[in-house]
Amino acid sequence: MNAWELKVPPVALVLVCGLLMGGMAAVWPTATLWAAPWWWGAVPIALGAGVALAGVLAFRRAATTVNPTTPQASSSVVTTGIYAHSRNPMYLGFALALLGWGLWLGHAGALLVLPAFVLYMNRFQIVPEERMLAQKFGAPYTRYLQQVRRWL
């Protein structure tokens, strides 16, 4: 296990990314691509919040942990509802919210933070989660991995 795996709570990473995006827009205003209407950002932010909330509620209904730093504490594999379409709806929701923030800012540098967020999440959060859950739940979880995509 890598020292960075499962160390940064995804919500904290989203906040850091959002602050970085806003900071870039403030420090380098010349990299602004457009003056976006408010709804360019609000729509993906609202959609992202809804997707993430649906993921949290599904975990709560299944009485399993939503703590992303301790996937080994999971009590079940959730495969219904939003989890029938995305293995990581909470992270997808976070990415959509960051996309919305980047569109709202209309800033080239800010938009580059989104792929960095996705790459970090894949390598240091999702892959270790999947590894631990496969060890814990075996074949049912492996089948789920084959049937449902990681993000969309």
Side-chain angles (χ1 to χ4, degrees):
M1 188 156 129
N2 183 294
W4 283 92
E5 290 181 350
L6 305 172
K7 296 297 187 223
V8 180
V11 171
L13 183 62
V14 169
L15 292 174
V16 167
C17 287
L19 289 171
L20 178 62
M21 293 166 80
M24 292 170 83
V27 171
W28 296 296
T30 56
T32 299
L33 301 172
W34 59 75
W38 67 269
W39 55 267
W40 278 24
V43 170
I45 289 169
L47 181 62
V51 169
L53 182 60
V56 170
L57 292 175
F59 269 29
R60 293 284 186 212
R61 278 191 296 273
T64 192
T65 184
V66 295
N67 184 347
T69 61
T70 58
Q72 65 276 16
S74 298
S75 61
S76 63
V77 177
V78 181
T79 61
T80 58
I82 192 109
Y83 285 92
H85 307 286
S86 172
R87 294 195 314 255
N88 298 286
M90 290 179 246
Y91 305 153
L92 174 60
F94 295 159
L96 286 169
L98 287 173
L99 172 64
W101 179 230
L103 291 173
W104 193 315
L105 294 169
H107 191 271
L111 289 169
L112 292 175
V113 173
L114 180 59
F117 170 80
V118 171
L119 289 171
Y120 181 93
M121 289 300 295
N122 277 331
R123 170 61 186 90
F124 297 107
Q125 187 66 41
I126 296 172
V127 169
E129 281 180 4
E130 290 176 344
R131 184 176 56 243
M132 288 181 181
L133 294 172
Q135 289 172 352
K136 182 169 185 164
F137 296 109
Y141 186 73
T142 303
R143 278 192 302 278
Y144 176 65
L145 291 178
Q146 295 167 349
Q147 294 169 346
V148 178
R149 296 168 70 89
R150 181 175 281 167
W151 289 89
L152 275 180

